[in-house]
Amino acid sequence: MKLDSTGNHNIAHQWTDARVHLVAQYKRGKKYTFRHPELDLHSLGIKRHGLLEASINDAECPLPVSVAYSFVAAIRSISTNRENARILSTPPADLARADVLVLFARIDEYFRLKNIKSAAPIAEKVRNIFRDCQSNIRNGIAVSQVGYITALKSPKRQARKDISDRVDANAETKELKLPVSADTTDNIFEFPGNTEEHYRRRLERILATCESILDEHESIQKVIEAARRMPIPPSLSKSTVQKLIHSGRIDEKVANRRTPEEKLIIALKIIDHWKLYSSAPGKARVYIDGIPALEILSGDGGSRTRFGVLLSSHYLSRFALTACFIILLRYTQWNSDTLQALTVAGIKQTPFGYQLDSFKAKTEQFQTDEVLSDDSTIHIEEKAAVRAIEMLLWHNSAVDKYALRRNESAFVSMKLSYRQKLEFDVFLHGKHFHEFTSTWNLPKFTASDIRPQATRYEYLKSGGDIASQQAKLHHASAATTAHYIGGVEIARNESNIKRYSEMLAKAILYITKRKDIDATTDDQDAKTIRAMLAPPSRFSSNEDSYLIDTWLQNPTENRIPIGPAEVELCVYQRAYYMKNMRNLRLANPERFRKSELPRILVCIALYRLINEGPFRRTVQVLEEKINA
């Protein structure tokens, strides 16, 4: 690849006769890798100097790898149709608007038949290569101005579930065992605080577990160092002792007959003799079964996992390293890939603590965070974060001194397969997190679940300040931040919706004269029920406000769970409006416009939604009952 004087790539997509090699690139960490997908126009029945060539020459260079390969695949497929090949072969100035529309429709059809969720965005990126063509078509307009409307629908981005949305069977209280959405509180003033408390306590339980793991790591270190200072067990025969000292080996049967304390001493003597904290065990055998001190941090792992725990005086074992990773995920609220890209060079000590610098490959952004260690300003998460950083630095120092590093990430762990020298590489993945959560009796989660959990808690704690969370997450758009906090906004309004549904049910029964207001109903609630669906009289003030207006003023903050009860309410409400809408409009036009019309529109929209779903038959039965 040639570079110009500024160091930038100064090259276009390369043509050789009827072949073109596109220039495509992708980035892994800070390194760019280039690919060159090829199109052979002659074999595809496409002529040069047409729309395809003009578009390729004007296209971005280099293209993203995914776009380049998608473009090549689409062209190869659609060019089997003669009409498509003709359009691609024709110079832009000789093409009509209809030709371009046909081409775009064929591109969409190709990706639709691929049956992938990302069909719409990929098809758009491929069409954009043609849209970027600088040549005008026959009527003098640019390709980008043909006014094509795609029939493909982009998948809606759903708010992802966080840890509080899951069952935690081992939590202390019934409320914490259930998902946050199961809160039965019907007080709209208590619910936000309950939700915040649920998020806080779930996070605290995870952080407390991680800190207990680090405590256990330090405890094992003390046990190992004490055992290392102990003499060879006197119960061993002289010949066995001599063999252990000079050859670093011992018979397996002899080792297995020792107590756990003696087994640990023997294992450490073998490790020190063969320097197994650096070299792979090879022929040297370390018998570590039946040593309880190693079991806690080994989980369900095998002998090699226990061997990693036995080296805790030199390195962090897998669970200890994972605990550090989770603690820093919680504090930084970084993307898990960004934190995994953190290197030792990116950790800098400051007068007040540590500064972390990493790289977010997805958006090519450098991210910085500061971890304070000043006791006067520190929070509990920050204390844990400082501890995790210092243990991480100690771990990496030993890796560089004794072992073979396979990745620059600070989060490298001993590989379970080794040959001559111990190797350390990045290991964090979904399977390992499943082992971590099951071993420590935590609700199931992965590395990517910590960020939304922490973000939604901080959002609730700030009273709903999305701007502060946008800055913390380094998001360019508040819409992206809204995706992270979307789940909690749904949850915190469940109480409002529940109370609304109950009041609406009583209001419908009252307004349709099916049931009077219960005598035990609170006076304020009784007033609300009477006025919820219709004004108390035609002489009511236009400024009167009722409970339903509170929901109508914030429609985007509500999510209505639809079940049989809600279907019945909606059907009766629609029947009421169908019968009384004219009277409501004539009684007070201003009130009808301001207050009743929004209610009617909401009712109609909900009715249509229900009538298109699985409750259609229920709607028919209810309407037959009403009209009987």
Side-chain angles (χ1 to χ4, degrees):
M1 186 66 64
K2 297 181 180 179
L3 302 176
D4 62 18
S5 58
T6 63
N8 296 320
H9 294 283
N10 184 22
I11 192 169
H13 303 294
Q14 298 296 301
W15 288 90
T16 305
D17 297 327
R19 296 174 183 266
V20 60
H21 290 85
L22 302 181
V23 180
Q25 71 173 10
Y26 67 92
K27 192 172 187 179
R28 180 173 293 172
K30 299 180 181 179
K31 182 180 179 182
Y32 285 98
T33 301
F34 290 86
R35 294 288 183 266
H36 303 280
E38 176 188 322
L39 274 175
D40 185 347
L41 273 61
H42 179 73
S43 65
L44 298 176
I46 302 173
K47 298 178 182 178
R48 287 198 60 174
H49 310 299
L51 174 64
L52 178 61
E53 180 173 349
S55 298
I56 291 174
N57 290 339
D58 292 335
E60 173 189 0
C61 185
L63 288 165
V65 163
S66 60
V67 176
Y69 279 96
S70 297
F71 177 78
V72 167
I75 296 301
R76 287 174 177 169
S77 177
I78 68 174
S79 62
T80 56
N81 180 287
R82 290 186 179 182
E83 178 61 13
N84 296 339
R86 179 193 68 79
I87 296 172
L88 293 169
S89 303
T90 304
D94 296 333
L95 288 173
R97 175 175 175 272
D99 293 325
V100 179
L101 295 177
V102 167
L103 178 65
F104 285 179
R106 296 290 167 75
I107 292 173
D108 279 3
E109 181 67 8
Y110 166 75
F111 286 105
R112 185 187 69 79
L113 294 175
K114 297 285 286 184
N115 197 26
I116 53 177
K117 290 183 178 180
S118 57
I122 293 177
E124 181 180 8
K125 290 176 181 178
V126 170
R127 293 196 309 272
N128 284 343
I129 293 178
F130 291 101
R131 290 180 186 274
D132 291 340
C133 179
Q134 301 299 309
S135 303
N136 292 340
I137 59 176
R138 188 188 302 168
N139 59 2
I141 66 171
V143 176
S144 60
Q145 298 175 319
V146 297
Y148 178 76
I149 300 176
T150 181
L152 297 176
K153 295 182 179 180
S154 297
K156 293 182 179 179
R157 192 179 186 189
Q158 301 293 329
R160 63 177 300 155
K161 283 192 173 184
D162 51 36
I163 302 170
S164 278
D165 283 324
R166 297 163 192 169
V167 173
D168 184 1
N170 297 291
E172 298 175 358
T173 65
K174 179 182 178 181
E175 290 77 16
L176 283 177
K177 289 181 179 181
L178 297 174
V180 67
S181 56
D183 194 324
T184 57
T185 303
D186 60 1
N187 188 314
I188 62 175
F189 301 106
E190 292 181 2
F191 187 81
N194 293 349
T195 306
E196 178 187 336
E197 181 71 3
H198 194 286
Y199 275 78
R200 180 185 68 81
R201 294 182 68 179
R202 279 281 176 97
L203 277 173
E204 283 185 351
R205 180 159 127 69
I206 293 172
L207 288 175
T209 300
C210 290
E211 291 201 70
S212 70
I213 292 172
L214 299 186
D215 290 341
E216 185 62 31
H217 171 80
E218 292 179 343
S219 175
I220 289 175
Q221 282 184 318
K222 293 177 181 178
V223 170
I224 289 173
E225 289 306 318
R228 183 171 269 122
R229 293 191 295 269
M230 296 293 289
I232 295 175
S235 59
L236 295 176
S237 65
K238 289 184 179 180
S239 61
T240 300
V241 171
Q242 289 298 317
K243 189 175 181 181
L244 180 61
I245 293 174
H246 296 293
S247 66
R249 291 189 178 90
I250 190 172
D251 185 78
E252 181 178 2
K253 293 181 179 179
V254 174
N256 288 336
R257 287 198 295 267
R258 304 301 104 190
T259 66
E261 292 77 13
E262 290 176 338
K263 284 183 180 180
L264 180 59
I265 294 170
I266 293 170
L268 292 172
K269 297 297 181 185
I270 295 174
I271 286 174
D272 292 341
H273 182 277
W274 291 94
K275 297 182 179 179
L276 298 184
Y277 46 81
S278 178
S279 303
K283 294 182 179 179
R285 296 298 303 275
V286 183
Y287 304 105
I288 51 180
D289 291 336
I291 303 178
L294 307 180
E295 299 299 324
I296 297 178
L297 289 185
S298 299
D300 296 329
S303 59
R304 293 194 176 188
T305 301
R306 290 195 294 276
F307 178 65
V309 177
L310 187 57
L311 298 181
S312 291
S313 58
H314 290 81
Y315 311 108
L316 291 174
S317 58
R318 283 200 167 199
F319 282 164
L321 188 66
T322 306
C324 291
F325 188 78
I326 292 172
I327 290 170
L328 291 178
L329 271 179
R330 161 65 187 101
Y331 177 73
T332 62
Q333 289 181 238
W334 281 357
N335 179 288
S336 58
D337 290 339
T338 303
L339 184 59
Q340 190 167 298
L342 179 69
T343 64
V344 174
I347 305 174
K348 300 179 179 66
Q349 191 163 11
T350 69
F352 303 102
Y354 291 93
Q355 178 177 304
L356 308 183
D357 296 300
S358 190
F359 186 79
K360 187 175 182 179
K362 183 178 179 181
T363 56
E364 300 188 0
Q365 292 177 321
F366 285 97
Q367 294 191 213
T368 300
D369 217 321
E370 191 171 20
V371 181
L372 302 177
S373 58
D374 184 349
D375 289 339
S376 63
T377 60
I378 203 165
H379 299 292
I380 184 65
E381 302 91 36
E382 296 179 14
K383 287 181 180 178
V386 168
R387 183 188 187 191
I389 290 171
E390 291 175 346
M391 295 182 78
L392 201 60
L393 291 172
W394 166 81
H395 169 76
N396 278 271
S397 175
V399 170
D400 292 332
K401 183 176 181 179
Y402 299 115
L404 181 62
R405 177 188 290 273
R406 291 296 187 185
N407 194 291
E408 290 301 313
S409 170
F411 297 95
V412 289
S413 179
M414 189 182 79
K415 296 178 68 174
L416 296 182
S417 58
Y418 36 71
R419 295 180 181 177
Q420 296 181 346
K421 197 174 182 69
L422 292 186
E423 297 182 5
F424 283 73
D425 203 349
V426 172
F427 73 98
L428 298 164
H429 49 72
K431 180 182 177 182
H432 176 72
F433 269 85
H434 175 71
E435 295 172 356
F436 181 87
T437 55
S438 61
T439 299
W440 297 96
N441 296 320
L442 294 170
K444 290 183 180 180
F445 66 86
T446 64
S448 59
D449 292 327
I450 298 293
R451 192 185 199 199
Q453 177 78 12
T455 299
R456 290 169 185 177
Y457 167 62
E458 295 293 344
Y459 173 77
L460 287 167
K461 190 170 72 170
S462 67
D465 182 8
I466 194 171
S468 64
Q469 293 311 301
Q470 180 182 354
K472 181 70 176 177
L473 298 177
H474 305 276
H475 286 159
S477 169
T480 306
T481 309
H483 168 67
Y484 278 84
I485 64 176
V488 71
E489 275 305 290
I490 290 172
R492 77 183 297 185
N493 282 286
E494 291 291 344
S495 177
N496 300 43
I497 299 303
K498 183 175 182 291
R499 178 170 170 78
Y500 166 69
S501 298
E502 291 174 352
M503 299 294 282
L504 180 60
K506 295 175 181 178
I508 290 174
L509 293 174
Y510 170 77
I511 203 72
T512 57
K513 299 180 179 180
R514 296 167 63 197
K515 185 178 181 181
D516 202 358
I517 300 173
D518 194 290
T520 60
T521 304
D522 179 82
D523 289 343
Q524 183 60 44
D525 285 350
K527 182 180 178 181
T528 299
I529 291 168
R530 292 190 187 96
M532 195 172 195
L533 291 176
S537 76
R538 67 175 61 195
F539 305 107
S540 297
S541 167
N542 292 337
E543 301 305 319
D544 284 353
S545 180
Y546 305 105
L547 183 61
I548 192 171
D549 296 318
T550 303
W551 284 285
L552 291 172
Q553 287 167 7
N554 299 284
T556 59
E557 295 185 2
N558 298 309
R559 173 178 177 266
I560 302 177
I562 298 176
E566 287 77 18
V567 172
E568 182 177 4
L569 297 178
C570 180
V571 171
Y572 275 99
Q573 186 180 7
R574 177 177 177 273
Y576 167 78
Y577 281 131
M578 293 290 288
K579 183 178 180 180
N580 296 281
M581 186 160 54
R582 183 173 182 274
N583 291 336
L584 291 171
R585 181 170 58 83
L586 293 176
N588 192 325
E590 178 65 17
R591 165 164 287 283
F592 180 84
R593 179 188 63 79
K594 175 187 174 184
S595 182
E596 301 300 335
L597 186 57
R599 298 186 180 106
I600 294 171
L601 293 176
V602 171
C603 177
I604 292 173
L606 186 58
Y607 175 86
R608 288 181 177 176
L609 176 65
I610 293 172
N611 209 27
E612 292 175 357
F615 289 108
R616 181 184 302 174
R617 178 58 186 162
T618 305
V619 171
Q620 293 175 353
V621 172
L622 288 170
E623 289 181 332
E624 289 173 0
K625 181 179 178 181
I626 292 172
N627 297 326

